[in-house]
Every structure is written in structure tokens, then in C-alpha cells.
Amino acid sequence: MTKASAAKTTYQYLGQNREGLLRLRSDKEAFLVSGTLYAASTPKKPTAGKTKVALVALKTSPNYTKAESDQRFTVITSTDERLRVVGKVVARELVTNVTRQLGWPAPRKAEAGEATAAMPAKKKIGGKKPSGDALLKDEIVRVNALLKLEHDPEVRMKYVSYFIGQSEGNLYKKIKAGTFPAPYTKPGGGAHWKHSTLLEYQAKTAEPKPKTKRSKKKD
């Protein structure tokens, strides 16, 4: 039996709802998925002649049990990280604004207590956009999970600023001056660094510990 796969569409990953279901969205549809969010990464020391890719579980819905019939989705996060979701679709609805444009029938209203995938165009917390702290927290969880498996994860500027302990503006000035490692770009844009690059930078710029003079023992 082969595993079921979703259409080759990249979905937006919008986090988990109160029940722990994973929220996905495309231009046409919105989903609630009971499953696991994975990050794909290669180890620091791959086997000779082989490229081994490991899937690291980042978040899992409560009471989720993996099955052969589960669907697989390619998702992208708010920090442009490409991840994978494997699980069961619990609810599916058309996105409201697309429904109006194409003349499709409006999605039915959910009954009280019923799971629904309907969500606003922009995720809001207390009427505001997601805080930088919330996004950074998710990024730290992802990076730490990969480091435990001895991988060398890719990181974005928000994490770099946190890890190095300097503002993003100051780091960009240092990149321009050539005193901080320049990032590399990937298809789709965005600046990326390898975590090992940050460690190398820290090792080079670490201030040497002052030597303490040993007092001579008097005879």
C-alpha cells in the first residue's frame, strides 16, 4: 500500500489551533490536519557516497496515530522555511475571498463545537500580528531539535540576531563591512546561514580570558 499524497501545492503553515490541529492554507482552500510537522535536514557527517535526509518531528497533534493512508503536504512558514506535514485532514473549506472571486457557493457555517478550517487572511493574536517573540520561539525549537541529531540547520536573520546577541541592523552593517559572514540565498529568496557558521564566528570573535598571575610560594 502506498502512502497518499496531497496535490503538488505548497501550503502556508499557520501554526496549531487550540485543539493542537495543524492549520494549512492555500489560495483556494484551508485545512485542519491531525498530524505531525516535520523538518527535513541532512546530517553534518553524511555517509560517503550517500545523501541521507532525516525528518525531524517538530510538533504533533494530540492523540494523533500515524497510518499508511495519511496525506503529505509541503508547507512554508512565516519565516520562509520549507517543512512537511503528514496526517489526516479533519476539516476542509474554501477560502472566503477566493469563493467570492470565482463565484463558488459560500462555505456552510459550522455547527457549534464543530471543527472548522476557516481562518482570517492574516493570523492575529489579540487584534495584532504574531509577535516576533512567538516566531522566534518556533525557530529555536526547530533548530534545537536538529542540533540534537547532530545536523547543521539553516537559520534566518531573526535567529542569527538572537544567537549572536546583536540587532539585525547592526549585523547587516557588519555584513556590508565584511566583518560578519555574508548569507547565501536559496530559490525563492531570503538570507540564510548555516548554524556552524555562527559557531565559527563566535569562536573567532570570543575575547580571550585574562590570565591570572600565580602568586609565588614563599619558602
Side-chain angles (χ1 to χ4, degrees), residues 65-141:
T65 303
K66 192 174 182 180
E68 289 292 326
S69 59
D70 287 350
Q71 290 182 274
R72 290 187 283 184
F73 302 87
T74 299
V75 301
I76 188 167
T77 68
S78 57
T79 54
D80 294 331
E81 295 291 336
R82 293 181 69 86
L83 306 176
R84 182 180 300 178
V85 167
V86 178
K88 305 173 182 66
V89 175
V90 175
R92 181 197 309 254
E93 287 188 9
L94 301 178
V95 175
T96 304
N97 60 349
V98 176
T99 299
R100 292 173 180 170
Q101 291 171 13
L102 301 183
W104 293 338
R108 67 178 181 82
K109 293 184 179 180
E111 300 293 336
E114 181 182 355
T116 174
M119 58 193 73
K122 293 183 179 180
K123 183 179 177 182
K124 295 184 178 180
I125 301 176
K128 299 181 180 180
K129 294 181 180 179
S131 68
D133 290 341
L135 298 175
L136 177 59
K137 185 177 179 181
D138 287 343
E139 180 71 352
I140 293 172
V141 169

Side-chain angles (χ1 to χ4, degrees), residues 152-198:
D152 190 6
E154 296 176 334
V155 294
R156 301 297 300 276
M157 176 54 86
K158 188 176 291 295
Y159 180 89
V160 175
S161 175
Y162 153 79
F163 188 80
I164 299 299
Q166 298 183 31
S167 68
E168 295 183 21
N170 191 39
L171 289 174
Y172 278 123
K173 288 179 182 178
K174 289 189 173 184
I175 293 170
K176 190 175 181 179
T179 57
F180 188 80
Y184 59 90
T185 57
K186 298 175 64 177
H192 297 75
W193 288 261
K194 283 290 187 180
H195 193 273
S196 57
T197 302
L198 307 185

